[in-house]
Amino acid sequence: MPLSNLSGKTYALTAFTRMPPLKTFGLRLVFALIRLSLQPPEVRGFISGVIISAVTAIVLQLLHALGLPMDAIMREGAWLLAPSAAAWFVGLTIHLLAFGIVGAIVGHFYQPTWSILGRIGIIQKNLVELSFIHFARWVIIPRTAFPRLAESQPQEHLHYDYLMFESNFNGAWEKYIDAFSQVVPGGMDNIWRWSVKYPGSRPISPFLAYIRNCQYDTDYYYSAYPGASTNDIRSALQLTDELTKFVATSATLPAADFARAYNRFLARVQNCLSKTAPGSASLSSPMSGMPIYEPIVPLAGTGQVAHV
């Protein structure tokens, strides 16, 4: 079930943690895998196939070095060229492309959840279900990349790189951090494990203390919809799309047909109708915590609607 807040007020969180420079490469690898997981399935499959083919090429070359009578990579290249160094590179290209193409075809139809990218996809799905999160990002700031306001400002010589975390969310701070710990503990650990003195996302108390110690107060925060949760905003966007379609298709309808079309429109968007002001709604959705009006159904044979 998606987790959401009952109050729409939004807050901002900014935290900085230190990382030894060598550990920064581990986090960059994690970020690269996350970016790869966001690609279309065919692209992920192609890249996975190329990686597998590169590993098999290394194994084949090791076997050849240990006495395998025929160089398998050279044999693939020998289809086009006589055995030579050029044929070996042609064979390696054929080897990589063949696995990549097969991987793209397989990736179009099947994405294993047990793979690294599959596990990352599950974490991303769980994050989406945390519907009180408006925005979150992690940024690596190298120890040599801090800005200088003027040439006269002395150059800083820092011993650590820094990881900056920014997020906008609804609800209480403790519940927000607790939700991260409970829903995506592995994802949080894979990102923050490179930071100095990171205690892990479970148990929650040391994790809360760690974030609180690394957090900086937000001096200025602007929210375009300060009284709306992410569910409210999604519903408003859906309502806008449905209303645009309704206007385009009903502009020339006769009165009776327009009334029926309008009733069907109201029935489709009834879960999108809400107010974000505190205490303005008649009931709250048990699934999302978003206030909604009572369900609407068309009355048979009339142009009226009824609340049930």
Side-chain angles (χ1 to χ4, degrees):
M1 182 179 73
L3 301 175
S4 182
N5 64 297
L6 296 179
S7 60
K9 190 173 181 180
T10 58
Y11 299 89
L13 168 65
T14 303
F16 284 86
T17 57
R18 297 181 299 168
M19 297 183 297
L22 290 179
K23 287 191 174 182
T24 303
F25 292 103
L27 182 57
R28 291 187 188 277
L29 177 60
V30 172
F31 285 169
L33 290 174
I34 293 174
R35 283 193 291 268
L36 178 57
S37 70
L38 296 175
Q39 301 300 315
E42 296 80 6
V43 176
R44 298 201 302 267
F46 180 85
I47 295 177
S48 299
V50 169
I51 293 174
I52 293 174
S53 69
V55 173
T56 59
I58 293 173
V59 172
L60 290 173
Q61 287 305 109
L62 290 175
L63 292 175
H64 177 67
L66 294 175
L68 192 69
M70 180 63 180
D71 187 343
I73 301 297
M74 181 77 75
R75 183 170 55 197
E76 293 178 3
W79 295 346
L80 300 177
L81 298 174
S84 62
W88 186 89
F89 283 106
V90 170
L92 179 62
T93 302
I94 294 174
H95 190 77
L96 295 175
L97 287 177
F99 273 79
I101 293 172
V102 171
I105 295 174
V106 173
H108 178 76
F109 297 100
Y110 174 64
Q111 289 292 319
T113 56
W114 49 262
S115 65
I116 294 178
L117 296 182
R119 291 180 180 274
I120 293 176
I122 293 175
I123 292 174
Q124 291 170 341
K125 180 181 178 181
N126 291 338
L127 279 174
V128 170
E129 290 183 351
L130 295 178
S131 56
F132 52 79
I133 299 177
H134 288 252
F135 172 82
R137 71 167 180 171
W138 289 263
V139 179
I140 297 174
I141 305 177
R143 64 190 187 282
T144 58
F146 279 84
R148 298 171 63 193
L149 301 181
E151 290 296 328
S152 59
Q153 179 180 347
Q155 179 72 43
E156 293 184 286
H157 299 283
L158 304 176
H159 297 289
Y160 295 95
D161 293 332
Y162 285 80
L163 174 64
M164 181 179 70
F165 172 63
E166 290 184 304
S167 182
N168 308 142
F169 59 95
N170 299 113
W173 181 89
E174 289 83 1
K175 292 182 179 179
Y176 170 69
I177 301 299
D178 181 66
F180 264 128
S181 176
Q182 296 298 324
V183 178
V184 284
M188 297 302 98
D189 291 340
N190 288 332
I191 290 177
W192 267 310
R193 71 169 65 249
W194 317 97
S195 297
V196 175
K197 296 183 179 180
Y198 175 63
S201 59
R202 293 180 178 177
I204 184 60
S205 296
F207 186 44
L208 285 171
Y210 181 78
I211 297 299
R212 187 179 288 110
N213 185 59
C214 299
Q215 180 179 348
Y216 285 77
D217 291 337
T218 302
D219 295 322
Y220 178 79
Y221 173 56
Y222 170 77
S223 175
Y225 311 102
S229 69
T230 52
N231 283 337
D232 296 331
I233 296 171
R234 289 195 190 103
S235 296
L237 292 172
Q238 182 181 348
L239 177 61
T240 300
D241 291 340
E242 291 287 347
L243 180 60
T244 301
K245 295 176 184 177
F246 171 73
V247 170
T249 57
S250 63
T252 59
L253 292 178
D257 293 340
F258 178 86
R260 286 190 290 269
Y262 180 67
N263 289 337
R264 288 193 296 268
F265 164 72
L266 289 180
R268 287 197 307 272
V269 303
Q270 59 180 318
N271 290 331
C272 300
L273 302 175
S274 68
K275 294 182 180 180
T276 58
S280 61
S282 57
L283 65 101
S284 295
S285 165
M287 289 297 293
S288 66
M290 190 187 86
I292 61 173
Y293 286 118
E294 296 174 345
I296 300 171
V297 295
L299 291 177
T302 71
Q304 307 297 319
V305 297
H307 295 272
V308 296

